Amino acid sequence: MPESRSQQWFGGEGAKGFTHRSWVRSRGVPTDHFDGRPIIGICNTWSELTSCNSHFRELARHVREGILEAGGVPMEFPVISTGETLTRPTAMLLRNLASMDVEETLRANPLDGVVLMMGCDKTTPGLLMGAASVNLPTIGVSAGPMLNGSFRGRPFGVKDAWNLGADLRAGRASVADVEEAESCLNRTVGVCNVMGTGSTMAAMVEAMGVGLPGNAAIPAVDARRRVLARMAGRRIVDMVREDLTLDKVLTRTAFENAIKVNAAIGGSTNAVIHLTAIARRVEVPLDIEDWHVIGRDIPTLVNIQPSGDHLMQDFHEAGGLPVVIRELCEGGLLDGDALTVTGRTLAENNDRAECHNRDVIFSLDKPFKAHSGIAVLRGNLCPDGAVIKPSAADPRLLKHRGKAVVFENQDDLNARIDDPGLDVDADSILVLKNCGPKGFPGMPELGMIPIPAKLLAQGVTDMVRISDARMSGTSFGAVVLHVSPEAAAGGLLGVVRDGDLIELDVAARRLELLVPDEELARRAAERPAPEPKATRGYAKLYIDTVNQAHDGCDLDFLVGKTGSAVPPQQH
């Protein structure tokens, strides 16, 4: 058996390894920790600036105990932590930086395996991308969702909070109502209490086999989340001994299973970008079209916000993701033979899962919604693709033709959306430009364009909206996102004008700008060159090298993997 990575630092007698062993001893490490037992990294995204992950100090302690119990040596280290609520201009700008932090830290240090502690939206894909490029034995522990909110005697989720904000703009709610709701929504630590991107990506970790069963939905403050963390610590030690590296789990089959699970749970549109980026780091072919081919016939089984009514705590208590996976496996829709970090197959992990509430988790023969969670659109407005989440949209808008009301950027949107004189009606299509990867930069969650206040007052609750931005996984509506190529990269979105007819047909997977080609060519020729958004630092590196949405928004030079070869000795 070849010498372990960590022993290439700590192994040998006498002077060999003296420097590495001696300086680690300053922490009070005993001699037997250098005897060849697996050295396990605990990659921790704890931060008080990332509220979803602010309980990770305690959770990491349980991981550490599990590692020690299994005969491993834990070594905890921090990496950049990006929180969706505080990070500006957008956490997405820093996802790739987080991946670089993880990749270089893992490769540069005496680690044989790693436990990734991730929760808030971008920490999960960022950590997985970095780990995939190194390819050590890897297991993920997610933050878990916060408990259900409670506002004036009823359950209160993030979707309800969006609706309350709309009521405030329409004059149906007061500032006092909104301020009271603040503490009612966020009662505990953890990711959003709906099937937002945080919980969606935790579900993807579980569906791909990188996390233990139950990883997606056990609440952050539940004692069972601590047990899961401890068991992950135990398991990673055996994974090192078994040489169960990440590429043996993150196969093409694992990604296909994840796409299907995402459809069944009504998962976030952000999963399209993140799974594409992760797959390309581990060198598995995955294309935006796969979401159309693989996921389109999977029904939505989970009645949870934003596609439905319930919250993540309800999902867990109904049986959680294991029930969905078992349902799909037994229905022949998932490949149950896919290997997972447990050393068992996906089907074996979930073969005893039981549903305790069919109002939350529906069955295949009686699904919650017949259509899949995400649809991929094509057309002259998005030749490289765009996405929409039909399960979260008003069905009458899934086939729609209307006149464009155009906002050139975020500032233009904020300045005019509530103008009583805005020329807009319920049939209009709202269009937002210059919010893509290069144009913002970082592709913010601005895609759920607010419904104009005067229409909210008339009772309008949904409209077709189109942008090159993303939207929060907690958002909802007939919202077309990730238009590729983006406006700032020369896409036709950049030349759409007020009054242009646009046609959306989700069943036909089509999005068309109904303007003659000659006129579009003339507009494109007249379009001024975009002004640079950054002149230095990471933001400039990002703008200069970021791929478009359909390619996962990774930096072009980061795609692929370098592996875990030990760097040269420095002493």
Side-chain angles (χ1 to χ4, degrees), residues 343-502:
R344 306 169 73 218
T345 68
L346 187 69
E348 289 170 339
N349 281 348
N350 299 284
D351 60 3
R352 296 185 180 181
E354 294 183 10
C355 182
H356 307 299
N357 189 342
R358 282 296 181 191
D359 187 50
V360 177
I361 307 174
F362 285 58
S363 61
L364 274 175
D365 58 343
K366 294 181 179 179
F368 176 53
K369 295 184 178 181
H371 45 265
S372 67
I374 291 174
V376 175
L377 306 172
R378 299 280 186 176
N380 67 346
L381 198 53
C382 53
D384 291 329
V387 300
I388 187 173
K389 187 173 176 178
S391 63
D394 187 331
R396 67 180 178 81
L397 293 173
L398 297 180
K399 184 173 184 179
H400 183 76
R401 178 184 288 196
K403 292 182 179 180
V405 177
V406 179
F407 302 95
E408 293 297 324
N409 50 44
Q410 181 192 27
D411 291 339
D412 186 28
L413 173 70
N414 292 339
R416 296 194 297 122
I417 191 65
D418 288 338
D419 184 347
L422 185 67
D423 185 11
V424 64
D425 60 36
D427 291 326
S428 299
I429 294 179
L430 306 180
V431 176
L432 176 62
K433 306 176 184 178
N434 296 305
C435 290
K438 295 178 181 291
F440 193 72
M443 203 178 183
E445 294 184 339
L446 293 173
M448 189 177 137
I449 304 167
I451 294 172
K454 70 179 186 180
L455 297 183
L456 286 173
Q458 296 170 17
V460 175
T461 59
D462 200 3
M463 297 176 68
V464 174
R465 288 156 276 182
I466 301 172
S467 75
D468 47 12
R470 300 177 299 111
M471 77 174 180
S472 169
T474 66
S475 300
F476 55 95
V479 184
V480 177
L481 305 152
H482 310 177
V483 169
S484 187
E486 63 176 304
L492 275 187
L493 187 71
V495 300
V496 179
R497 294 181 179 176
D498 284 336
D500 286 349
L501 277 178
I502 298 176

Side-chain angles (χ1 to χ4, degrees), residues 178-368:
V178 175
E179 290 179 348
E180 180 185 348
E182 286 180 13
S183 58
C184 298
L185 175 65
N186 297 293
R187 296 170 54 217
T188 70
V189 295
V191 301
C192 293
N193 57 16
V194 301
M195 191 58 75
T197 305
S199 286
T200 295
M201 292 310 299
M204 298 298 92
V205 168
E206 187 174 339
M208 290 189 294
V210 182
L212 299 179
N215 179 73
I218 300 172
V221 296
D222 194 311
R224 287 166 289 188
R225 175 66 56 181
R226 301 185 185 97
V227 173
L228 183 142
R230 183 178 296 216
M231 299 308 293
R234 291 184 184 180
R235 178 58 193 152
I236 188 63
V237 176
D238 285 337
M239 287 175 64
V240 170
R241 293 168 175 151
E242 297 164 11
D243 193 30
L244 182 50
T245 49
L246 191 54
D247 62 339
K248 296 171 184 175
V249 176
L250 286 181
T251 62
R252 167 72 183 191
T253 297
F255 286 100
E256 291 180 357
N257 283 342
I259 289 172
K260 294 174 182 178
V261 168
N262 189 77
I265 63 176
S268 170
T269 50
N270 288 303
V272 179
I273 292 175
H274 296 324
L275 289 186
T276 300
I278 296 165
R280 295 186 181 189
R281 287 295 190 96
V282 81
E283 299 179 357
V284 168
L286 193 71
D287 188 85
I288 188 174
E289 202 62 29
D290 288 322
W291 291 80
H292 168 73
V293 174
I294 296 169
R296 67 175 300 172
D297 296 326
I298 305 297
T300 303
L301 302 183
V302 181
N303 176 12
I304 190 168
Q305 291 188 23
S307 297
D309 303 315
H310 294 283
L311 301 175
M312 285 298 296
Q313 182 182 342
D314 306 318
F315 181 43
H316 167 65
E317 291 170 358
L321 196 67
V323 174
V324 176
I325 291 174
R326 179 179 180 181
E327 191 83 26
L328 294 176
C329 282
E330 292 183 351
L333 297 176
L334 292 186
D335 188 337
D337 292 331
L339 180 65
T340 74
V341 293
T342 67
R344 306 169 73 218
T345 68
L346 187 69
E348 289 170 339
N349 281 348
N350 299 284
D351 60 3
R352 296 185 180 181
E354 294 183 10
C355 182
H356 307 299
N357 189 342
R358 282 296 181 191
D359 187 50
V360 177
I361 307 174
F362 285 58
S363 61
L364 274 175
D365 58 343
K366 294 181 179 179
F368 176 53

Side-chain angles (χ1 to χ4, degrees), residues 558-571:
L558 292 177
V559 175
K561 60 184 177 182
T562 305
S564 59
V566 174
Q569 173 84 356
Q570 80 272 38
H571 295 294

